[in-house]
């Protein structure tokens, strides 16, 4: 069975796994037209859910995304904005 919802195709996105919630997280990446995304999705094994778009980091790609189990936080660092500008901020 295919999921009801799915993120658009992209590359340069980041993913991490939250073991306490059994969720996979996906953030950002370059869309098919090379525009960076600010979408944050979760996958529960059955369907994708859009958690946020426009309320967090700017649209970026190529950023490390990790789950810190000690602090129970998903974190990302850096990435590349549209036009190839590298960033060094943490979310």
């Amino acid at each position: 069975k295919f999921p009801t919802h799915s993120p658009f195709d992209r590359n340069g996105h980041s993913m991490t796994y939250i073991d306490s919630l059994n969720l996979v997280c996906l953030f950002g990446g370059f869309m098919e037209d090379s525009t960076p995304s600010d979408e944050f999705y979760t996958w529960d094994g059955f369907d994708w859910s859009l958690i946020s778009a426009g309320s967090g980091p700017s649209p970026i790609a190529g950023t490390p995304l990790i789950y810190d189990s000690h602090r129970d936080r998903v974190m990302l660092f850096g990435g590349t904005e549209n036009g190839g500008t590298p960033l060094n901020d943490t979310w």
Side-chain angles (χ1 to χ4, degrees):
K1 179 180 175 190
F2 289 102
T4 304
H5 308 95
S6 293
F8 290 107
D9 291 342
R10 62 193 70 216
N11 63 58
H13 57 281
S14 303
M15 297 178 82
T16 193
Y17 178 68
I18 303 175
D19 54 350
S20 62
L21 298 175
N22 198 29
L23 290 175
V24 173
C25 300
L26 176 148
F27 177 77
F30 290 110
M31 307 300 270
E32 290 180 351
D33 64 357
S34 299
T35 303
S37 171
D38 64 350
E39 296 172 332
F40 186 90
Y41 281 88
T42 60
W43 169 255
D44 63 6
F46 300 99
D47 202 7
W48 288 98
S49 297
L50 178 63
I51 303 302
S52 69
S55 61
S58 59
I60 55 177
T63 182
L65 185 69
I66 63 155
Y67 173 64
D68 179 348
S69 61
H70 295 291
R71 292 180 179 89
D72 193 30
R73 300 277 186 264
V74 173
M75 300 173 61
L76 64 87
F77 173 78
T80 304
E81 286 184 313
N82 199 10
T85 305
L87 302 172
N88 65 357
D89 51 347
T90 301
W91 286 83

